[in-house]
Amino acid sequence: MAVCIAVIAKENYPLYIRSTPTEDELKFHYMVHTSLDVVDEKISAMGKALVDQRELYLGLLYPTEDYKVYGYVTNSKVKFVMVVDSSNTALRDNEIRSMFRKLHNSYTDVMCNPFYNPGDRIQSRAFDNMVTSMMIQVC
Amino acid sequence: MEVAAGGGCGAGPPLLLSESEQQCYSELFARCAGAASGGPGPGPPEATRVAPSTATAAAGPVADLFRASQLPPETLHQITELCGAKRVGYFGPTQFYVALKLIAAAQSGLPVRTESIKCELPLPRFVMSKSDAEIRFGNAAELHGKKIQIPYLTTEKNSLKRMDDEDKQETQSPTMSPLASPPSSPPHYQRVSLSHGYSKLRSGTEQMQPASYEARQPIGQPEGSSSEGPGSKPLRRQASLIRSFSVERELQDNSTNYPDEPWRITEEQREYYVNQFRSLQPDPSSFISGSVAKNFFTKSKLSIPELSYIWELSDADCDGALTLPEFCAAFHLIVARKNGYPLPEGLPPTLQPEYLQAAFPKSKWECAIFDSYSESMPANQQPCDLNRMEKTSVKDMADFPVPTQDATTGDDKQALKSTINEPLPKDTSEDTATSKDCNSLKARPRSRSYSSTSIEETMKRGEDPPTPPPRPQKTHSRASSLDLNKVFQPSVPATNSGLLPPPPALPPRPCQTQSEPVSEADLHPQLNRAPSQAAESSPAKKDAPHAQPPSKPIRRKFRTENQTTESQEPAAAVGGAAPTTMVKPHPTVQKQSSKQKKAIQTAIRKNKEANAVLARLNSELQQQLKEVHQERIALENQLEQLRPVTVL
């Protein structure tokens, strides 16, 4: 399923990155990093359009031969980047959207914790569990 | 009563079992044997007594049972050797009984020897996970659920003990018949502590129907099944009976019993939590905001990640605020953590808000609204005051409570499984706002459509908690802090020199706070004034040390009065004073030395007080800084929302 999930803060530093440990994590970090440019491009192209959920979900950022990278941005410019395995063709757009929705939910829960300072790395166990569940869904 | 030397015994000395032990062991044996034979048809318990003489307990369930006793494997090996099972090759009844007795001995701390079994021992304790109980004894337990309650009554009378008891149940015990007990009886009465093997087995029935919790009042939990009803009633009775027969309570307390034991809130703990809640938030049906709670819990001196995790556990609806049950749960978790218990993976069932709300008298929640909202008891007692009043004063706790926790934590799968129910509904409720009644009451759109409006709502709601308290201007406005600085600064050089030279021509100062800085500044040039002035000021100085402890302004007043008296001298007199000091150096010098000492002492005291005040100031300012920071973030978010999305 999702091979790597990353939460990037507004200032483009990572709040949370997790990859399946079997692969080379550095490669995923690099992919996420390069995808940030695409995210920025897409956001700037939005212009003054109304911000609704469809535009929060950025869709496929760019495909490589092995992986596809999807993006999602929140209203506070926190970006979620997800790298999925290309071999898994059963993944539809809706499923990706639902995964991002879940991510967003969990992220908001993390935010609600008064002990969490915005800008810290996310160390919430609930968030971890949710991400783990997403990453091993189909494996 | 001796165990009948049934099939092939002759292992060791004759076993002396009390009635309770006899019952217990026979039940256990029946379980092991029954489970091995795959779904027994054990009818009345008497039949099981007959059966052991011929049956053997299979190694599998026996091994599981032994492992559940939580003894180290070497001990278990010893036990199996001693009981003779290895010799005979199977677990006959005698071997089984001997083994159980040895387990009891080992758990009581006695050495594992054949002599140990001669003593009077408590029953062995077994902690089994829910899955094991289900697998092994599920069928058997259900069948036994109705039929073996009478023996349970008698067997547990002397051995079980509870943390709380309901004495009123005691009188009912002899008259109650299991089949007659109403199936709708609340299954969550006092749960049997898992201190004994058969109790564990029976709790297998309970575990299958989750949530049999200690409760002060009957709660109609939806999961109660019919066998649970009758099964729980004798539990209650026995629990109350047991309380009066508490044997070796410490041993049982130290064992990993029912995993929820440390997570159960006792009445006095409850009272304490509620009082603390009231100190932060007078309305018990309203919320404590996140920042207030954060300040409060930070005083517990737990690390921030731990506090963050505790918050995550206890804030069930993740709204950034704590209602009373959530607060109690969080407080209890903190207390448990400070007592050394590791934090659970999920919120224990006894700490869940629905349970906590229902478990305690409604009078604690003085909200008339929620009475009207109550659909079902466990679900809907959420206080529905939507206005989050933020309590700004954070009262200092004298000490974080350390109530004695009787049992260690056993982070069991059972707790896990029951707590999985907690987050799961949350996940599934994402699309339906009503599945979580609490949220519906709070009118929080849990179904996040992620439209901009909903985001704004959530963000605005998120902004509500961080609304900073009104600035306590009076305590540390800049003016006053500066005053304090200026107050303390000149005192040091003044006392160093041992002089309190009055400024020559100072107007009388009615208002101390404003005039003091000026007067102190003027004091500076006068520091090296003549001792004659010191002589004149010496009466004032003597007054000053006397008056020092009460208040500094008064001291200042003395000085200012001194100044006023001396300021009446013409300014020129100051010049005249200088030569006069040369005239009389000696007497004034002596006075100066003693004065110097006093002055130094007073200076030290003053400095210490100043330090304390400044430290407090510092902490308050830090808090303010944090709050301002949060404000800023909230405002930035707002700004971004309002600003059209053009350039990043």
Side-chain angles (χ1 to χ4, degrees):
Chain A
M1 242 359 202
V3 173
C4 170
I5 290 176
V7 179
I8 317 286
K10 175 178 155 211
E11 291 84 7
N12 287 340
Y13 62 86
L15 294 176
Y16 184 86
I17 288 190
R18 186 112 84 90
S19 339
T20 53
T22 52
E23 304 273 350
D24 182 10
E25 302 200 29
L26 196 60
K27 181 174 68 174
F28 291 130
H29 287 214
Y30 179 68
M31 285 175 75
V32 168
H33 191 267
T34 54
S35 67
L36 289 179
D37 276 338
V38 187
V39 170
D40 286 354
E41 188 190 318
K42 285 204 183 248
I43 293 178
S44 62
M46 264 197 233
K48 296 188 180 180
L50 283 174
V51 183
D52 59 358
Q53 185 185 4
R54 203 147 43 86
E55 304 194 17
L56 292 180
Y57 172 67
L58 301 173
L60 182 66
L61 295 179
Y62 67 92
T64 63
E65 49 188 50
D66 290 332
Y67 302 103
K68 298 196 185 84
V69 183
Y70 292 90
Y72 182 99
V73 66
T74 69
N75 279 341
S76 54
K77 301 290 174 292
V78 173
K79 308 163 187 75
F80 299 116
V81 176
M82 190 186 318
V83 182
V84 298
D85 207 348
S86 282
S87 57
N88 196 340
T89 52
L91 266 183
R92 292 192 318 265
D93 199 46
N94 280 340
E95 293 174 14
I96 307 281
R97 281 180 197 266
S98 70
M99 284 163 79
F100 274 127
R101 204 178 305 128
K102 271 202 290 183
L103 263 178
H104 198 162
N105 271 341
S106 303
Y107 177 72
T108 319
D109 288 346
V110 169
M111 276 298 181
C112 284
N113 190 330
F115 297 102
Y116 172 77
N117 300 316
D120 290 351
R121 301 196 74 101
I122 296 177
Q123 284 159 338
S124 145
R125 267 188 240 185
F127 193 80
D128 282 343
N129 293 340
M130 193 272 314
V131 168
T132 315
S133 73
M134 278 173 54
M135 285 177 51
I136 59 173
Q137 263 172 18
V138 176
C139 286
Chain B
M1 181 179 308
E2 290 204 10
V3 172
C9 60
L15 196 55
L16 282 161
L17 289 180
S18 66
E19 171 118 15
S20 58
E21 286 175 329
Q22 169 76 2
Q23 298 274 358
C24 162
Y25 293 174
S26 60
E27 287 306 330
L28 278 176
F29 190 82
R31 292 288 162 89
C32 291
S37 57
E46 294 72 30
T48 62
R49 268 188 232 144
V50 177
S53 55
T54 52
T56 61
V62 170
D64 283 331
L65 189 64
F66 284 6
R67 254 180 274 126
S69 69
Q70 304 217 326
L71 292 174
E74 311 83 43
T75 320
L76 293 176
H77 283 312
Q78 253 186 318
I79 290 175
T80 44
E81 270 187 49
L82 272 178
C83 75
K86 287 219 170 131
R87 193 159 23 97
V88 257
Y90 58 83
F91 263 108
T94 323
Q95 289 78 36
F96 191 70
Y97 290 7
V98 174
L100 287 178
K101 190 93 182 182
L102 286 171
I103 287 177
Q107 286 176 338
S108 313
L110 299 172
V112 178
R113 274 197 291 270
T114 48
E115 296 77 28
S116 321
I117 60 178
K118 289 189 182 156
C119 325
E120 187 70 29
L121 287 169
L123 292 168
R125 298 179 291 274
F126 298 97
V127 178
M128 281 229 312
S129 67
K130 178 179 175 183
S131 56
D132 278 350
E134 278 181 355
I135 294 168
R136 303 247 169 258
F137 308 109
N139 300 331
E142 267 172 350
L143 283 171
H144 282 284
K146 288 203 168 98
K147 293 164 189 166
I148 50 178
Q149 289 154 15
I150 297 176
Y152 280 171
L153 251 186
T154 54
T155 53
E156 293 182 37
K157 205 192 296 192
N158 299 324
S159 44
L160 278 184
K161 67 179 63 82
R162 298 303 310 278
M163 287 177 47
D164 309 307
D165 67 334
E166 295 180 346
D167 292 317
K168 58 178 159 74
Q169 308 289 344
E170 234 174 296
T171 56
Q172 303 174 17
S173 56
T175 58
M176 206 129 146
S177 76
L179 299 175
S181 56
S184 62
S185 72
H188 46 265
Y189 268 168
Q190 292 177 358
R191 184 165 169 163
V192 176
S193 63
L194 276 186
S195 49
H196 307 286
Y198 52 89
S199 70
K200 171 257 309 173
L201 298 177
R202 192 172 358 97
S203 66
T205 62
E206 296 171 6
Q207 287 167 355
M208 283 181 286
Q209 301 104 22
S212 154
Y213 305 121
E214 161 189 284
R216 312 287 186 270
Q217 286 174 0
I219 309 169
Q221 292 235 359
E223 308 94 349
S225 72
S226 62
S227 71
E228 171 75 356
S232 64
K233 273 245 170 176
L235 289 182
R236 266 180 289 127
R237 279 175 279 123
Q238 290 138 17
S240 55
L241 290 173
I242 274 86
R243 179 72 186 249
S244 47
F245 291 104
S246 55
V247 190
E248 290 114 354
R249 192 192 171 99
E250 302 77 26
L251 284 176
Q252 305 230 344
D253 293 343
N254 290 333
S255 73
T256 51
N257 296 334
Y258 175 37
D260 277 1
E261 289 267 350
W263 309 120
R264 221 180 277 128
I265 300 182
T266 64
E267 193 59 46
E268 63 248 14
Q269 285 176 335
R270 178 77 187 189
E271 289 296 327
Y272 186 86
Y273 301 158
V274 172
N275 288 337
Q276 291 296 323
F277 183 92
R278 287 219 184 89
S279 75
L280 297 175
Q281 165 62 281
D283 181 5
S285 62
S286 178
F287 314 124
I288 294 184
S289 74
S291 49
V292 170
K294 172 179 176 180
N295 293 335
F296 183 73
F297 289 137
T298 314
K299 281 190 270 184
S300 69
K301 301 209 176 52
L302 287 179
S303 66
I304 294 293
E306 285 186 354
L307 287 171
S308 173
Y309 183 58
I310 287 177
W311 176 280
E312 215 178 283
L313 286 178
S314 58
D315 190 4
D317 42 17
C318 285
D319 56 352
L322 294 180
T323 61
L324 180 56
E326 290 174 345
F327 177 83
C328 292
F331 211 133
H332 197 72
L333 285 169
I334 288 178
V335 163
R337 183 78 188 101
K338 289 200 80 85
N339 283 338
Y341 296 120
L343 289 175
E345 292 296 315
L347 191 63
T350 48
L351 288 183
Q352 285 175 11
E354 297 91 4
Y355 170 73
L356 280 179
Q357 271 182 324
F360 291 97
K362 271 193 193 181
S363 59
K364 297 220 191 248
W365 286 272
E366 296 133 14
C367 178
I369 307 176
F370 86 88
D371 281 341
S372 62
Y373 274 85
S374 56
E375 312 160 3
S376 66
M377 288 276 287
N380 248 355
Q381 300 190 2
Q382 192 76 18
C384 31
D385 186 355
L386 296 180
N387 302 322
R388 299 182 196 168
M389 300 165 359
E390 215 187 49
K391 187 81 170 170
T392 63
S393 69
V394 180
K395 307 264 167 50
D396 283 332
M397 294 199 319
D399 52 326
F400 243 79
V402 185
T404 54
Q405 294 285 348
D406 291 329
T408 60
T409 55
D411 212 9
D412 239 12
K413 293 181 201 167
Q414 190 258 339
L416 246 186
K417 285 194 181 172
S418 48
T419 53
I420 283 174
N421 299 333
E422 166 65 14
L424 272 181
K426 214 189 283 186
D427 282 340
T428 55
S429 75
E430 277 179 8
D431 296 344
T432 60
T434 56
S435 60
K436 279 197 76 107
D437 300 299
C438 315
N439 287 341
S440 66
L441 284 177
K442 287 186 185 168
R444 176 169 189 196
R446 190 78 184 184
S447 60
R448 307 185 194 187
S449 60
Y450 289 122
S451 63
S452 58
T453 51
S454 72
I455 293 287
E456 274 167 5
E457 280 170 16
T458 50
M459 301 237 318
K460 276 180 196 155
R461 224 170 264 111
E463 285 163 18
D464 281 340
T467 307
R471 292 181 176 277
Q473 297 274 351
K474 51 184 179 347
T475 56
H476 52 275
S477 61
R478 281 207 58 186
S480 59
S481 61
L482 278 179
D483 280 350
L484 285 173
N485 285 336
K486 286 194 182 160
V487 156
F488 293 125
Q489 257 180 8
S491 71
V492 177
T495 52
N496 281 345
S497 65
L499 299 174
L500 268 187
L506 287 174
R509 316 214 180 279
C511 175
Q512 301 163 19
T513 53
Q514 270 99 40
S515 63
E516 278 170 28
V518 184
S519 63
E520 298 309 327
D522 285 345
L523 273 178
H524 269 289
Q526 315 302 331
L527 277 181
N528 302 322
R529 271 300 153 185
S532 66
Q533 294 169 351
E536 285 160 348
S537 64
S538 64
K541 182 67 180 189
K542 279 175 191 159
D543 290 338
H546 295 318
Q548 167 151 11
S551 60
K552 296 181 279 292
I554 296 180
R555 239 181 292 123
R556 297 286 170 253
K557 213 166 200 145
F558 285 137
R559 288 196 194 170
T560 54
E561 284 167 7
N562 195 27
Q563 292 158 15
T564 56
T565 54
E566 287 154 1
S567 67
Q568 287 161 14
E569 296 174 335
V574 173
T580 54
T581 55
M582 309 315 237
V583 172
K584 10 172 172 168
H586 267 290
T588 53
V589 165
Q590 289 160 4
K591 285 185 190 169
Q592 276 176 41
S593 57
S594 64
K595 257 182 293 171
Q596 269 172 359
K597 287 182 195 164
K598 284 185 195 165
I600 290 172
Q601 285 167 1
T602 57
I604 291 174
R605 251 177 282 157
K606 263 184 277 172
N607 286 338
K608 282 186 186 166
E609 288 175 29
N611 277 345
V613 171
L614 288 173
R616 225 177 332 129
L617 260 184
N618 187 26
S619 59
E620 282 174 4
L621 286 170
Q622 293 276 354
Q623 265 189 12
Q624 275 205 347
L625 175 67
K626 278 187 192 167
E627 282 155 355
V628 168
H629 186 63
Q630 283 177 359
E631 251 192 286
R632 185 174 140 241
I633 291 170
L635 287 172
E636 277 180 1
N637 283 337
Q638 256 190 340
L639 183 63
E640 282 181 303
Q641 293 239 322
L642 298 173
R643 181 188 301 160
V645 181
T646 50
V647 183
L648 259 187

